[in-house]
Amino acid sequence: PAPIAMLRNRFRWQLLLKSNQAEQLHWLCEQLIAARQQLCGLAGRTAPGAPTKTGEIRIGIDVDPENMM
């Protein structure tokens, strides 16, 4: 979870990826951006408590974060 796990009644998660090969991380970010529609869609989400409306899942990418809060 993120340092502030819930904000405005929404759960938040934070993922930090580190590597000594920046090109591979940039490639991964490009792939995530390209697949954003599919990742944030609702196809196959049947677990209890899973999002039920489009737009309930958001992805943000910060390639050079200054603050992790």
Side-chain angles (χ1 to χ4, degrees):
I4 301 172
M6 186 176 256
L7 184 66
R8 289 191 271 325
N9 209 28
R10 295 178 63 100
F11 288 102
R12 303 173 68 221
W13 288 85
Q14 188 172 25
L15 178 66
L16 175 64
L17 301 175
K18 295 171 95 175
S19 174
N20 57 359
Q21 298 175 343
E23 311 83 41
Q24 289 185 348
L25 289 178
H26 284 254
W27 176 85
L28 177 60
C29 288
E30 290 169 6
Q31 298 302 307
L32 288 170
I33 291 167
R36 184 178 288 192
Q37 290 288 110
Q38 290 175 312
L39 292 170
C40 294
L42 300 173
R45 296 188 189 280
T46 58
T52 56
K53 294 185 276 189
T54 302
E56 287 190 347
I57 299 174
R58 291 186 242 159
I59 296 176
I61 298 173
D62 187 351
V63 259
D64 193 15
E66 293 183 18
N67 187 345
M68 294 299 290
M69 281 297 289

